[in-house]
Amino acid sequence: MPRVSITAVHRLTGVACVAVLALTGCASKQTETAPAPLGPASAAVAPAPNAPPAGEVRKLDGQPVAAVADPGPGGLAVLAGSGPAAGAVVTVLGRDRAAARTIALPAPAATLVADGTGRALAPTRGGYITVDLVAGTAQRVDVEGAGQTEFTAIGRFPDGHLVLGSADGSVYILSSPTAVAHRDKKFTRVDSIVVQGDTAVVLDRGQTSVTAIGTDGQLQQALRAGEGATTMAADDAGRVLVADTRGEELLVFGTDPLMLRQRYPVRGAPFGVSGSPRLAWVSQTASNAVIGYDLSTGIPVEKVRYPTVQQPNILAYDDTSGALYVVSGSGAGVQIIQKAGGPG
C-alpha cells in the first residue's frame, strides 16, 4: 500500500477546509452563537386549582417570601413584603387559631429561619434582624464591616454562632452576634443556608450546586445539584433535601460527608420543600399539589398527596402539632393541613 506523507495529509486537509468554508462559512461561525446560559431556575406559574385545597385556608396579607414553623409557642411565621416600598412584616399564626399577629421589621429582609429559641432570624443589608415571635418585637443587628453587604441567607450552628451568605457570593462566619471571624467569596450568590450539626450547606442557584462548610468557614465538599436547584431544607434525620425544579427531581444529600444519597423524579416543577420526622414534603407548582415521601427505605416512596392552594411555593412543617403549612405565592393565603403525615 503506498504511503501518504504527513505533509500531503495536511495539504489535503487544508483543501477540504477551504471547500467547507466556501460552502458553510466553516466552523468558526458556530462558535460565535453559543447558547445563552439558562440562568437560575424558578417555580412554574401555577394554573388555577382544579380541586379544593385540603385542610383549612387562612388569609395572608402581603407577598410571602419565606415561612418557618416555630418549635415553641409561636406557630407559623411568614415573612412578607421584602421590598422597601412594601415594608417587611412577619405574620405569626398561632396554633390556637387566634387572630394572626403582625410584627413590623426595621428593614427589608431576604428570608426567615427559626433559631430554636422562640425567635426567628432574617438577613438584611448590613446584618440581620432578630424577631421574637412571642413578644412580637424585632431588633436589627449590624455586622461589623458589612454595612453595604446584601445578606441573603442565614443559619445557626449548635453552639449559637451564625453563618450568613450574601448576594455577591460570600460566606461570613460570626464569632459573636456582630464580629466576623471568617469571610470567603466562593459562589455566584448564596441563595440558601441550612445547618446539620457542625456543617452548613450552601445552595447556589446560579451554579445549581450545594457546598458543605465547617464552623471555621473552610469548604469541605461541593457537589452539582441537578439541572436547576431552587430550594433546600434540613430534616430531623440529618439529611438535606433539595428541589431540582428544572430537572424535576427530589435530591437527598447526606452531610457527613456531603454526598448525594437519593434522587427521585417529581414532575410538575417541584419547588417548595420541607422535612418532617416521618416524611419529606415537596410541592408541585405546575399542578398545585404537595407530596409526602418516605425516605427510610433507600428510595423515596410516595405516602400522601394533597391538593393545594394556587402556587404552592413555600412549605413548612410543625413538628409539635403535625401540621403542614403551604404558603401560596399568588395571594391565595396559607393552607394548614393538620396531621398531614397521618397518625403519629
Side-chain angles (χ1 to χ4, degrees):
M1 179 176 178
R3 292 190 175 185
V4 178
S5 69
I6 294 176
T7 303
V9 171
H10 286 173
R11 287 173 180 167
L12 289 170
T13 303
V15 171
C17 188
V18 169
V20 172
L21 277 166
L23 292 173
T24 67
C26 206
S28 62
K29 290 291 186 182
Q30 298 176 8
T31 62
E32 296 174 6
T33 56
L38 293 174
S42 59
V45 177
N50 58 12
E56 170 195 4
V57 178
R58 297 181 66 177
K59 182 182 177 182
L60 181 70
D61 294 329
Q63 180 61 42
V65 176
V68 62
D70 174 42
L76 180 74
V78 182
L79 171 66
S82 61
V89 298
V90 170
T91 301
V92 181
L93 286 75
R95 299 188 186 93
D96 57 4
R97 296 181 59 85
R101 297 180 295 114
T102 58
I103 305 169
L105 302 190
T111 190
L112 194 69
V113 301
D115 75 348
T117 66
R119 300 183 309 168
L121 304 172
T124 188
R125 179 176 291 273
Y128 59 96
I129 301 166
T130 62
V131 186
D132 189 320
L133 300 176
V134 177
T137 59
Q139 181 178 0
R140 180 188 175 95
V141 180
D142 293 321
V143 173
E144 296 173 4
Q148 299 304 311
T149 301
E150 182 186 347
F151 288 112
T152 53
I154 191 169
R156 181 178 182 272
F157 287 112
D159 63 5
H161 290 152
L162 299 180
V163 52
L164 290 100
S166 68
D168 72 354
S170 298
V171 171
Y172 294 70
I173 306 292
L174 303 190
S175 57
S176 76
T178 61
V180 178
H182 179 89
R183 176 186 178 274
D184 203 0
K185 186 181 186 314
K186 293 291 186 182
F187 309 97
T188 58
R189 176 185 170 94
V190 178
D191 293 290
S192 181
I193 296 174
V194 298
V195 176
Q196 287 285 24
D198 290 333
T199 300
V201 179
V202 171
L203 171 65
D204 182 334
R205 289 185 180 181
Q207 298 185 107
T208 189
S209 67
V210 289
T211 303
I213 297 176
T215 55
D216 57 359
Q218 297 302 311
L219 273 63
Q220 297 173 347
Q221 301 90 23
L223 297 174
R224 175 87 177 193
E227 300 174 23
T230 51
T231 59
M232 179 172 63
D235 73 4
D236 295 340
R239 295 173 293 227
V240 172
L241 314 174
V242 175
D244 177 12
T245 303
R246 184 174 291 133
E248 297 202 312
E249 287 187 317
L250 168 64
L251 308 178
V252 183
F253 293 89
T255 57
D256 190 22
L258 185 68
M259 181 180 296
L260 180 61
R261 299 289 187 182
Q262 301 176 43
R263 60 190 303 176
Y264 194 74
V266 181
R267 305 306 177 198
F271 190 78
V273 64
S274 181
S276 74
R278 297 181 60 228
L279 302 176
W281 299 96
V282 186
S283 70
Q284 296 173 298
T285 53
S287 54
N288 297 315
V290 63
I291 306 171
Y293 291 100
D294 181 359
L295 305 181
S296 64
T297 62
I299 182 171
V301 177
E302 180 178 330
K303 290 296 183 180
V304 291
R305 178 187 295 255
Y306 298 106
T308 68
V309 289
Q310 185 180 27
Q311 202 67 55
N313 286 2
I314 303 169
L315 302 182
Y317 187 85
D318 186 348
D319 290 351
T320 302
S321 68
L324 175 68
Y325 298 97
V326 183
V327 183
S328 167
S330 64
V334 178
Q335 177 182 1
I336 307 171
I337 308 172
Q338 300 289 352
K339 304 296 181 183

